[in-house]
Structure formats: C-alpha cells, structure tokens
Amino acid sequence: VSDFTFDWDREARTGTAEAVLCAPKTSAQIAAILAEAAGAHKRLLLTRLAADQHADLPEALRALLDFDPLSRTAILGSPHGGTPVQGALIVAAGTADLFAAREAARTLEFHGHAAPVVADVGVAGLWRLTAQIERLRAARVLIVAAGMEGALFSVIAGLVAAPVIALPTSVGYGISAGGTVALHAALASCAPGVLVVNIDNGFGAAVSAIKILHLSNGGP
Amino acid sequence: VSDFTFDWDREARTGTAEAVLCAPKTSAQIAAILAEAAGAHKRLLLTRLAADQHADLPEALRALLDFDPLSRTAILGSPHGGTPVQGALIVAAGTADLFAAREAARTLEFHGHAAPVVADVGVAGLWRLTAQIERLRAARVLIVAAGMEGALFSVIAGLVAAPVIALPTSVGYGISAGGTVALHAALASCAPGVLVVNIDNGFGAAVSAIKILHLSNGGP
Amino acid sequence: VSDFTFDWDREARTGTAEAVLCAPKTSAQIAAILAEAAGAHKRLLLTRLAADQHADLPEALRALLDFDPLSRTAILGSPHGGTPVQGALIVAAGTADLFAAREAARTLEFHGHAAPVVADVGVAGLWRLTAQIERLRAARVLIVAAGMEGALFSVIAGLVAAPVIALPTSVGYGISAGGTVALHAALASCAPGVLVVNIDNGFGAAVSAIKILHLSNGGP
Amino acid sequence: VSDFTFDWDREARTGTAEAVLCAPKTSAQIAAILAEAAGAHKRLLLTRLAADQHADLPEALRALLDFDPLSRTAILGSPHGGTPVQGALIVAAGTADLFAAREAARTLEFHGHAAPVVADVGVAGLWRLTAQIERLRAARVLIVAAGMEGALFSVIAGLVAAPVIALPTSVGYGISAGGTVALHAALASCAPGVLVVNIDNGFGAAVSAIKILHLSNGGP
Amino acid sequence: VSDFTFDWDREARTGTAEAVLCAPKTSAQIAAILAEAAGAHKRLLLTRLAADQHADLPEALRALLDFDPLSRTAILGSPHGGTPVQGALIVAAGTADLFAAREAARTLEFHGHAAPVVADVGVAGLWRLTAQIERLRAARVLIVAAGMEGALFSVIAGLVAAPVIALPTSVGYGISAGGTVALHAALASCAPGVLVVNIDNGFGAAVSAIKILHLSNGGP
Amino acid sequence: VSDFTFDWDREARTGTAEAVLCAPKTSAQIAAILAEAAGAHKRLLLTRLAADQHADLPEALRALLDFDPLSRTAILGSPHGGTPVQGALIVAAGTADLFAAREAARTLEFHGHAAPVVADVGVAGLWRLTAQIERLRAARVLIVAAGMEGALFSVIAGLVAAPVIALPTSVGYGISAGGTVALHAALASCAPGVLVVNIDNGFGAAVSAIKILHLSNGGP
Amino acid sequence: VSDFTFDWDREARTGTAEAVLCAPKTSAQIAAILAEAAGAHKRLLLTRLAADQHADLPEALRALLDFDPLSRTAILGSPHGGTPVQGALIVAAGTADLFAAREAARTLEFHGHAAPVVADVGVAGLWRLTAQIERLRAARVLIVAAGMEGALFSVIAGLVAAPVIALPTSVGYGISAGGTVALHAALASCAPGVLVVNIDNGFGAAVSAIKILHLSNGGP
Amino acid sequence: VSDFTFDWDREARTGTAEAVLCAPKTSAQIAAILAEAAGAHKRLLLTRLAADQHADLPEALRALLDFDPLSRTAILGSPHGGTPVQGALIVAAGTADLFAAREAARTLEFHGHAAPVVADVGVAGLWRLTAQIERLRAARVLIVAAGMEGALFSVIAGLVAAPVIALPTSVGYGISAGGTVALHAALASCAPGVLVVNIDNGFGAAVSAIKILHLSNGGP
C-alpha cells in the first residue's frame, strides 16, 4: 500500500480530479500509487513524469499508461468519453513553449474538454498574432503560454474580452532563465484581466479554465 | 489637454472600462485627466489615489468625485444603475487586508456588480472559515485577499468548486514585508484552481471576476 | 587520521550527539571519519549520504552501516536500546515530503525516541487533516514537513496547543523550486507558535524536538 | 462593530491568547477592535503599535492601555496575577536589539511568565558571553535576539542543552539591512537545536517559549 | 572649491558632455559644483535634482538655472543654438512614464537635438500604437520608456528597423515596484535589436541615441 | 511540418533575419524547422545549438550545416557574399568570454559584416587595453563581452566616442555565477553611452550593431 | 546606567577601540552610553549618528562631541595626540562617495593615523585616475570608496602592489540602488588582492587598514 | 598560439603573479595557455581545474603539472625555492571547507609562503576553537574558511589583533546553498576588521594575505 492518501472525492467537491505530480517522487512511490489506483479501477492523470521515471516503472504498470514525452504526462485508464466541451483555446508564444501548452491540453482532454493549440505567435512578429485575431476572440477562456519577457500576455489581454490565464514558461536564458521574468511580466501586466499560474503549471491553468467554463454551463 | 490617450473603446473591446492608476502620476497629471473625462461626460474609476493626492486636486474636480480613503479609489460620475449582478464573493483574511478587498469591491460596484465581503477568516482559527462554508460554496467566483503567508488561498481552493482569484496583499513584516510571500504562496498552491494577480491588485482581481461572470451570463 | 575533530562531548553538553553531514564531503573524507569513529567504538549518525557516496565507501565500512536510501541517513553502531521516549509526532504534507520526514524520524530513533509519521495530509483536501485531529492534539511536539506553499504549517498550528516545528522541504517547482516559498510561509505564519528550521533539515528539527521533550522529562 | 472576528477561544485551543498586530491597520480599525474588547471586559495584547498610531487613538481608549514605546506593545486590562512562571531567558546581542527582546518579554509577562533579559553579549567580545554562561545554562528555554550577522545564535546553541529560539532582528545596514542576514544565519546554523522565527517577531518567539515551558509543567 | 573634478574634455573625447547626477549629493556639494562651472562660464546639465534640493540652492545660483520639476533636470547656461539634429523619437508607454521620457528629451535638447515625444501608447490598447506606426518607422533611433511589465519594448522592436533603446521606468507596484520587471523584460525581449539602460536612466538613453545618430552624420 | 511559423519577412521589416534559438527546443523540433527551411531554400542562423543537440540531428540535415562548437552556432545555406561591411569591433575581456564574442561575430558574418575580435584585455592589466586604444577608437560601434565584475564596460565607454554595446557573459563564480554581476555593472555604469543586452546574448548584441551601422550607411 | 556593556579592553585585545553604531539605537540609548563613557573619562567614536539623532541629545552631552554631519560621526574626548601614522590612502570615486570616505578618514584620525583623501577619480574619465598614479603607488594600504558599478576597485587593484580595501557605497539608482552592484563588483573583481567590507562601512574599512599598517610597524 | 594575453609583468607591478582560472575555459583553451607558458619556461598557477578538465589535457602537458584534486589547483614549473615566508595561518571551520582552504594554501606555497591549516574548529563546539587560541593570536594574518552561517568569522575577529580575511565557502544547503549566507555574514560581521573575498575564492584570499605580509617585510 502506498503512503498516498487518495482524495477520490475531489472531483465532486471541487469540480476537477486529483492528479499526481511525479517529479519530486521516487519511482517506487509512483509505482505504488499507480498500483493502488489501477487496483481500484480509477482513472488518473500523472504530470511531470520524466522519461526516465517512466522507464523505471514496472512493465505491467507502464502498459496501462498513455504516456506523452513532450508534456511529460501520463493517463491511466480510458479516455474521457462523450462530446468534448468547447470554449478553451491554448496559445503558445513559440515552439519551445509547446511542452507547457501540451500539459494544459492533456489536462483539458482528460476532463473531457477540447484543447486546440495556436502555436508560434510571439510578439516579435505581430502579424502572426493579428492573423489569428478572430479565433482568439471566439474563445471563452484563453490559456497563453510564453517564456522570455512574456509580452504576449498583455498584448492578447488587450485584444479579447474573455479571461486570459497566463501560463509563464521556464523558457529563457540569462536574466530570464527559469521563467521568473515571464511570471513577473504576467503579474505586472498593464492589461487588466490577466490571471496567473506558477511557471510551467499547465495543469493548474487547465484546471482553472475548466472551472471557469463550468460556470457558463450552469455550475456551480 | 492631458498627455493621456483615453481608450474609451476598451469596455466594448474587452468587457471592462479603463481605469486610471494614480499612484505614479503627479497631481497635475491626474487633474488634467479628470478634467478631460469630466468635459466628455464620462464615468471614470481612479485607483491608488492617495489622500494627499486627492487633497491636491482642484476643489471643483474634487467635488465631482466619490472618494473612499481606505481603498484609495475615487469614482467620477454617477453610480452604475440597474440591478447588481450577483455571483462574486470577496474574502479578506484579516482586518488589515480590507483595503485591497475594498478596492476589488469598489471596482465590482463601478461595473454594476454586487460585492459582498467576508472579513477576518484567517486560517489560524479555522472555525472562523468553516462557519462561512455555505456562503463560500454559493459563490460563482471568489476573490481571496490575504497577506502574511497566504495559507488561506489553498485552504479555500480545496473547499469550493468555483474559481478562486488569489489577491495577495502587502500585509506582512520581516520576510513577508511587501507581500511577496503571500504572492508566492498563491502561485505555489497545492490546491489546483488558484489564479493569481499582482500584490494589492484589487482592481485586476475584480476585472477578472467580471470577465468570468460575464461568461455565465452568455458572453462573450 | 581524519581532519575531523570529533566533539564526543557534545551530547553531555547540549543533549544530542554530533552527526556528520556528508553531502559536502568527499568519499575519502567520510571514510576517514567513519574509520576513526569505528575504531573508537562510537555510535554515529550520518546525514545527507547520497547513494553514490555510500557506494564509494570501502566494503568493510559499508558493512558497519545501517543505510536508508530514502532519507539518505546511515547509522554506525547498534540501535538505541531501552523503551522509546514518546511525545513527538511527524506530519508529512505529501508523499514527496517523506524523505525529509524520514530524516527526522531516523534522528529521533537514533536518540531513543519513537517517531511515528502521519503522511499525505495536505490542505488541498482538508478532510484528510481533520480526520487525524485527535492524534495531532495528543502529541507533545509536532514536526510538520511540507513543501510547495507550506500552508500546512499555519493550519496545524491553529489547531494544536503543542509547539510546531516547521520543516520546509525542497519539494516544488517554478517559483517554489528549492523550498524557499515553504520556508518563507513558515516564517510568516499568521498562527503563532511556529518554529522553523532550514529547508530539508529533518535532522535539526528532530534534535530540537528532543531538546523540547527532554524538558518535560525533568531536564535540563 | 469592528470587522475583526475575535478568536477568544484561542487560548483554550492553542495555549496562548490572540494578539492584535497593529502596524498594517488604520487607527480607526485599532480603535474599533479595542472598543469591542474593552466592552467585553477582555484582556488584550497589542503589538507593533507605533507611537503615532497610539497617539491617534481616542483619549478614552488610550487611558485603558499600558503602552511601552520601545517594544511598541500595549496591554489592555490588568496585569497577569499569580507567581510568574520561571524558565525563559531572553538574550539580546546588543542595545539595538532590545526593542525586539522587549516585545518578547512583554508577551511573556502578559501570559504570566518571568522574562529576564541579558543584554549586550555580542560575539565580538566573547568574554561578555562567557561571563554569563551559568545563567544561560540554567534557563529551560532561551530566546536570543540578534541582528547583523547573527553569529550569537550558533555560539549559544553550542553551549547549552536547552532549546534556543533565534529571534533575528532588523538591526543592520548595507547587505544586512532589514535583518535577512541574521535570519538566514539562524536557519543555516551549524549548531543543531536552533529554532527560528520571523525577523523582529518577539511575540512569536515568546508564544513558542510559553508552549515549550507548558510541556515541562505537565501539559498538554 | 568643490571636490568635483570636472571632465571638461569629455565631449571632445566621447561625443557628449559630462552631467551632474544630483540625487546622491548634498545641496552644499551641488552648489559648489555649480559655482565652479558658472565661474568658468561653462554650460552644465544637472539630472535628478529634486525640487527640495533645488530650493536649497542659493538664490543667486538658482537664478542661473532653467529647472524642470517633472524631469528633475536643470540647465546652466544658454540653450544650444543652431538647427536641432533630427532622427530621435521618444515613446512613453503611459502618462506616468513621462518624467523619464522628459529627462531623455531635455538631454537631447541640451546637446542640440530635436526630441519629440509620443505619449500613452501602452500595449493594453494596441490601436494607440498602430495609429502611430508611420511616425515610429520614420525615426532613426527610438527611446521607449515603459514601466510595469514593459511589453512595449518587444512590440515596437518587432515593428521597426531602427535600433530601439529600452528605458525601463520605476512605474509599478507589488512585484513590479521599482522597475525591475520592466528592466528584465527589456533584457529578455524576444525581439532582437533591443538595447537597454538602467531604470529611469533617461540621460543615458539620450546620450546613447546621440552617439548613434552621430554615426549617421559622418562620425566618429 | 514544424509548429514553427517562419517570419521570412522579418529582414525586410526590421533589417535583420530571424534566427532559431535552439537551447529550449527538442532535437525533433529543431530538425523539423531545419527541414522546412532547407526545403524552402532559405538561409538560417541557429544559435545556442549544443553539441549533443547537433549530434542528435539527422545526418542529412547535419551535412547542410556549418557548425561552430565554441559559439554553439550553425548556419544553413551559403555564406553571405559581397564585401563585408566594416565598422563593428568585438572586444572580449578574457579567453573565457570568447564563446559569446564569437556568437556575435558569427551573427555579424551571417549578415555580411566583418567581425574582428580583440581578446583578453581585462582591466586587471590596463596596459593590455591601452595598447589597443587606436583600434578601439577607430570602430564605429563596439561590442564588449565581459563576465566577472564587468569593469571593462565602463573603462572602454570612457575612452571612445562610438556607442558601446555591453555583452555581459555568464563567466564567474560565487556571487558572480551566471553573469548577473556583470549585467548589473553594465546597467549601472558611470560612463554614459553603455547599452546593454541580456547575459550571453551575442546574437542580440550583433543584431543591434547591424542596425546601428545600417544608419550610417543611409538607412532606414 | 545604560544597557550597553563596554568592551574597554577591545583595543588591547584586537588593536582598535570599540565604536558605537548609532543608527539603530534610540536617542535615549545613545545618551545613556555617552553619559557612561563621559563619566569614565573615555574617548569614544560614534558612527552613523544622524543629524536629528544628534540634535535630540541633551545639550550637555552635545557640547562634549566633535560632530561631523557629512560622515555622521562624532568623537567624544580629545583628538588623538602624537604624530599621525602614515601609510593609508583613501580614494573616492565621486563627490557623492565622500560621506563614506570621510567615515573612514575620521576613524583613522581617531586612532592616530593620517587619512588623506583623493576625490573624484571615477573610471569614466580615466585620465583623472592616471594623473594620481604615483600617489596611489606610494600608499601602503588603499581604501577605495565607490558606488554605481564599482569599476574603480578593479582598475586600482590592477595598478598597485598594496592591498586594496574596497568600500562599496550606497550611491546608485535603479538596479544599483543601495549599493549591492558595487558590493558584488568588488567581490567579483578580476583583479586579485581586493578585500571587501559591507556597503558604506567606512569604519570597518579603516579598522582593517589600521590592523594591516600595524603589522608593518612591528605588530602583532 | 592562445588567445590569452599573458600579463607576465603583473608580479613586478602588483606583487603577485597572474593565475589562470580554468573553470570557464575549454580544455583546448587551457592546453594552448599551458603550451605557451611551458614554451616560455614560465611558472604558472592554475585554479579551478576540474578533474575531468585535467584528464582532457594532452599527456605531455599533464606530465608537467603538479595537480591537487581536492583544491583543483595545478602548478606548472618547479616549486618556489628558498625559506618559506612565515605569518599566514589558514583556519577551516569544517572538513568540508578544506577544498577552499587548500586552494589558499597552494597559492601561498606557489608564492613562497608557509601555509599551515587549522581544521574543524566550527563554533558549534567552541572549545575546539579556544584550544587553538595561542596559535591564532600568533599569526600575522588569518584566512578563515567557513560555509553554512559563517559565525566563525566574527568569533575569530573578536579574539585576535591581526587582520582576518573571511573566505566564505559554498558549503551549505537549503537557504545557505552556494555560500551566500556565509558571504553575507562575513560582510555583516559585528566584529570590525573582517575583510571579505568572493565565495570559494581561496586564491584571492591568499593573494591578499601575501600583499599584507609583504608590507611587514618592508614593502611596497
């Protein structure tokens, strides 16, 4: 038995299911959690599962997982059935930000949401962004992934009426290494209506988007 | 004429009106902006208007303002008419956080929203929070204002299904002086679904709440 | 002979024995210290002994050690005899915090104390914590290990009368990478009675708990 | 009525009474809290009450307070009766640290404890410290207030068996301005058994000392 | 005689004249410098001269100065004669950034350059910027003053071929207080061709612009 | 097809071509970008291409690249033809700074500029610098690469009339690890006319130099 | 009686006398210390005595002090007699750094040393420094006071054989506000032989210089 | 030929020879420097030469080096002849600090100085330090290597008359990881006469000690 106390009731209580953050856990701890969930026939989302952590899992458990190396996510159990909920749009400033955008997309899909991604629309070539303006304005909530100086958060928030969830990424170097410049830019945005999550927290951005969209469908 | 370029169209484009952040402006600059807005018969929200900045304004302009010293906000023009939109709830961890909570409340009211405030429910006495649990769960979006270590953000996000907007405040001393500990705690919350704004940014928290509630009323 | 000057008198002087922090030492230095202690028939606690440092030790020395990879601790000499002293309780916010909790537990056991661990009671699911409330209130001193935003320190300190030793861990990512957010949250706690040690310092937390419990048994 | 929700039950629940941190509150908020407590015939400890905040209070409320400008504390209600509990000792590295040492002393006295202070024993003249060694070793718990580089925490913790609560102060300049160097030195101490509170948090240090001493008197 | 060693030769050596940074000097020091320069019949630019420092100067010296309180600059001696050199354009993100933009403008004018300012074109309303696009593209070097999140630097650098000198300002609050977020955003810009000066350093931005424009007029 | 949206028009719009920052991209992403560019018969500059990323590329693509391991740059397509544009000079404080100086040189060469490098002229032996003074003064724009304390930026800017682009490098250890001390020294320079780019950003320094030199050749 | 424990023996033990750092003390505390020293007929050096603290002292004590407002130092008792010890030289980068240079000079003079000051030799005009080269090389120990980017430390240390004590000052703004950039530059100097003291610590720089010069006169 | 410009004249000019900091250089660069120095029959000190960098050097060059892996130093050429200069003493707080202490010792030896090391005298067991008091007081200059909280700097400086060079080391974890806490403690020391070098900079500490001792032998 694992040391992990599952909060199976979380989805009923807060609207989204518990997920397992794998990065700080040992492979033995992850395997114990997976075995317990599989034994209980539960669906489970794993985030920050590095390729070598995944490779260290027992073959039998690995066979149960849908693993995506770019986003470092794995899903235990069958895909979410039914028609995907529409409304969310994910924007990635550059190719390098796709890993975080994809973590958000996988989280949305796990919960039964559509998760389209618009990639490589950084502000250094503004025309790439304005070419997508209608698509941006049609979304009911936007997740914007950007590293470096994070100018994209403010530019998009000034163009659309929907709430913008800024997902700063760790993409950068020198003064922007690790993503704090993008994070701070999101928090300091001169465009009101920017809501911010931790660096690379695609999971948290998606969970928040789900809660926001849930509202427009009659909840809570 | 002021150097200020009004973005009168912003409400149509993004759903909420432009506001004037007064702290970094001189009294002469604020007066010029107010005069131009008053001449155009526009409503205007002023934030971070310190008592001495307010006192420095010409008498004639001061007479046009509804000024609230605790939140350092002033409103030019008549109150928003019509029935207030319901759905937002503001929670303040302590008495000292009320200045920021009230900035959020004034912003909501300026845009025609109800803005009830639940005060002094910090986690050091958890019973104060659990006594309000039904009220918290009835809200469609929550703004939680807290300084110090900001534990309240995680605790509330673990209890409700609605999105939680964390509004870290500058209340603190020593290592938490200026509010960065509360800000970081909000970003690092182990409870998914916490969305964060800049320290003391009650205005931004309220604007985001309005955008979120707008969704559930059929927009965008 | 090692360059290490043993402070064999420390236990008599301060109530707890010297330990060897291995991380910043070379394997040759650790081996020399171990050889000297073994030659003098002394018990010794080693902390932060990485698996590869352990593997680099001479076979003969390794055979004398009780090594625990999760906590990276090793004990030279026989276990502490006698009935374990009761009173301490260790709480770990999540599975990922167990490495630090276990360093504290091993230190307590080395000194002849019982060291029960309550795991995975993070605040995102408050019911997991309240289900353990009687056990928490029965402890005479609590060590609480948590990373991320460290909200657990404040919540527990608001519920119990015993002193709470906050043991912030390096579990986190983005803004909370390395544990400074949890550390700062512990220091800034709005709940009085929280005492703080360095990040991942399970050894120091345990030594302090031993000193506190020593008081209630008639010392110093 | 104040916005403040008194936690009158806190002493029963956690062993020490609630106190009011005045620095971040307006004078009007402090006056409302005081009036409510006075009306309920409660004793109350106020901390971080600046001289000008004190002067701004209504005369009638000021007359009810025992105000100490050095520690910026005020006590509403009669002194604690009965024989003071012995065991705590407060050490101040320098004259400049006395403000924080005195906040701890006033908090101890408010709760019925003796609070002797040993002043000006900084490590630059070690003889001043060793001259007091017997007194230090007789204490059951020590609160050590120091700013600058905070070397005193480690030196004392290496000399005594009782737990040491490090109270870093904001005394310093240049790199040590605001007290973070002393705080970090306390956390990084090479002497085990140092427990740390926030910068200038004499109140928290005292509350923790009370909880620790409570143990040796049979509780919890 | 002042302790100040004039570098009267600097203009010949480096292309721009020495200026006196007044903020860290006492009024007596500033007065001595002014008296020496006036006695030598030299023109002199003073920067960061606070209104109260200006007021503290002897009446006779004050009479020789052209003082501008918004930019906190003063000029000793007659204006630069001749036709202003064209080519520089100053852009200010908001009204609050005008103080720094104006320091740049005054420095340009002191050296005989035209210094037009385009104000209030922040990215939250992108139309304000695109309305000025022809003017931006006609400039040979741009100085862009912005605080908060500094998104304007990247947006403009993506639109024009001329070099962009980012002048981050101290306008901001919370995480962006003091201007470090804008500074870091400028350095981390995803748009190549952004050159950065210290926060609020309008003087340095202008001196660099003069050197760049000097090139296109045949120098060095 | 790659997720990368080429901004082929950038050179026409801003004067310098787009480049691909490889460090934060996966080898698969880099390969897709290269394939698309090669298919379109475009020249392309790759920066921050680590040796192992380069080795991971398909053989066929690798054969198309001119790879330089010291500067971690690669060029797809033929060298720039024509006579190199003169005017830029690159100065490197020490041997260790050559990697960044060479990134600048490769970028200049890619765009058809000459890129001479003066190496190892750090200020600890000032004679090494003064021996090169005529060469420094003949340049129309200087790129100065330095790590450690970055004193070279100020010394050179005090000696020449041309604009100085400070390129702080990550060379350093202890307090200067990562290059922030050199970066801050550049920004705080007491010598006016220093323009700064991000740590190790040789590419950005070169692009800015090209824009500046473009001016003196009749543009924009 | 003061709470201050004089370390009258310090001069015999460590070579320099105790001084009183006034900034963090109340005027009442300073007055008590002065009265005790005056009563014991001791000489005493006071540092960081602000003008208003000085003005708050009792008239009778003020009459005993030689107060220097620029350096914020005061001396109780007669000047040091005898021929001043030669060997130290103080260099100040700019006029604004004189306050710290003068604190060092006053400390040297209090201990019987000559304390010549060379002012305004910042590196932006290197000729100002080279004009003084013989004087610099004749010194046996140099104290160099500089703020901003602190390039002067490295330049001087590369030119002389004597030890250089870097005295970083708080002169600066933006990124260099408070003096940390100058401090870090001193620590990271590429010129070996730079020894560093805390920001604005002219007293400590002088005490160290005295100890160094004491060596060459036969001690310890 | 290497890109390295030897400053062979440095010893004559500044009293100590140039050394080569290897960490930020490639093996090819180090080999070129060594070959040039060997060809010129020069002695040379290499610092921060990692074991793998050493292993990467050509066999022929490696044969010329006296390499010490603990201190990561190598010496090209014969040992310094003659009677070692006495006066310096190196103190290491713990076994883990020996790597830096040894870099200082090797540098002293390279220049013909004796370099005795006193190890493991940390303040947690003050008796270890006081047992060495006579030896400490006999030194003419002390280099004190300590990491963690760096309390040893202040304790020793309060006990001796000779100048103390604080050599903070990177030994630590959590808040003290990398050595900044020890560095800051050294700078903030309440004991005057502490001079500080960069973290792990044993070379710089030794060079400064040599300059100081040179004074007492009649120089400069």
Side-chain angles (χ1 to χ4, degrees), chain G residues 81-93:
Chain G
T83 312
V85 181
Q86 302 296 319
L89 180 69
I90 302 171
V91 181

Side-chain angles (χ1 to χ4, degrees), chain A residues 190, chain E residues 90-101 121-123 143-154 156 165-172 176 178-186 197-200:
Chain A
C190 61
Chain E
I90 302 170
V91 181
T95 305
D97 303 305
L98 281 173
F99 76 98
V121 291
V123 298
I143 294 172
V144 180
M148 309 289 279
E149 92 285 43
L152 191 59
F153 308 131
S154 294
I156 289 184
I165 299 175
L167 168 52
T169 70
S170 53
V171 172
S176 60
T180 51
V181 175
L183 171 66
H184 291 168
V197 296
N198 197 359
I199 298 164
D200 291 347

